[in-house]
Structure formats: C-alpha cells, structure tokens
Amino acid sequence: MQTHVKVLAALFLAFSALGVLGALGIMAVFGGVAGIVGATAPNDEALIAVPVLGLTGTLLTVLLLVLSLPGLAAGIGLWWFKPWARILGIVLCALSLVAIPWGTLLGIYGLWVLLNKDTERLFSSPTTVSS
C-alpha cells in the first residue's frame, strides 16, 4: 500500500498545483483587464469598473487558493506518512466525490487507499517509512 499512498500524494499535489496555477492565472487576467480598462475607458466608467474587476479577481484568486492549499498539505503529509495527513486526505477525498468526473475518481481511489487496514497500520507504525 506504500506505493498507493505515494501515488495518492502525487495526485493531491498535482491537482492542488493546478489550482494554485489557476489562481495565479485568474489574478493575472483580472489584473490585466483592470489595467486595460483603466487606461482606455473614460474616467467616470473606469472609476466603477476597475475596483469591481479588482475585487472579483481577488475574491476568485483567494477562493481558489483556499480550496487548493489543503490538498497541497495533504499531499506533502501523505508523501511523508504523517498520521494527520491520512485524516485530512480522507476528508478531502470525501469532499471531492461531488466534483464529477475527476474529483469523483480521486475521491474513490483516495478513500480506497486511506481506509484500507494496511494503510492504517502504515500510518500508525512508529518506525520510519523509507521512500
């Protein structure tokens, strides 16, 4: 089961990294659009549009980061077989079941891996697990 835990950790890291990259992309796009609108629109319209674009971009960026960072933490913790990461992984897998289709696949696989008796023993053993 060690290999499955490592694969699940890599999947958590990959999906979360995509979320962080998406957040950075949203920030860049909304910042660029706000800059273009501010430079080209008449002052009255720009005074309304630029703050709205900035606030929307900021809220979307923060939302995506808040949703992605627990997956990064779980991926790193699972990679090093930390007991808290198993619990966090179970919660995140259960929550991801509603994200059809990829989240559902990740959730089913993750729950299968993390709720397995061998995995439970792997995380509760006091010995250091070799990578």
Side-chain angles (χ1 to χ4, degrees), residues 1-40:
M1 287 309 283
Q2 250 181 316
T3 305
H4 287 292
V5 173
K6 294 280 187 172
V7 168
L8 184 62
L11 287 171
F12 268 121
L13 290 171
F15 278 114
S16 297
L18 287 174
V20 170
L21 287 175
L24 294 174
I26 286 172
M27 184 174 61
V29 167
F30 273 87
V33 169
I36 292 169
V37 168
T40 59

Side-chain angles (χ1 to χ4, degrees), residues 4 9-10 16 18-19 24 32-33 38 40 43-44 53 57 68 70 72 93 102-103 108 115 121 123 127 129:
H4 287 292
S16 297
L18 287 174
L24 294 174
V33 169
T40 59
N43 287 340
D44 295 340
L53 287 170
S68 298
L72 284 175
C93 286
W102 306 114
I108 291 169
L115 294 175
R121 275 180 276 171
F123 279 88
T127 59
V129 179

Side-chain angles (χ1 to χ4, degrees), residues 2-97:
Q2 250 181 316
T3 305
H4 287 292
V5 173
K6 294 280 187 172
V7 168
L8 184 62
L11 287 171
F12 268 121
L13 290 171
F15 278 114
S16 297
L18 287 174
V20 170
L21 287 175
L24 294 174
I26 286 172
M27 184 174 61
V29 167
F30 273 87
V33 169
I36 292 169
V37 168
T40 59
N43 287 340
D44 295 340
E45 293 173 5
L47 288 175
I48 297 170
V50 171
V52 169
L53 287 170
L55 181 63
T56 304
T58 301
L59 290 176
L60 288 173
T61 299
V62 168
L63 176 69
L64 206 49
L65 285 175
V66 165
L67 293 174
S68 298
L69 292 179
L72 284 175
I76 292 168
L78 287 172
W79 190 265
W80 296 108
F81 297 95
K82 301 292 183 186
W84 57 264
R86 181 177 169 265
I87 295 166
L88 178 61
I90 290 170
V91 170
L92 291 176
C93 286
L95 291 173
S96 71
L97 289 173

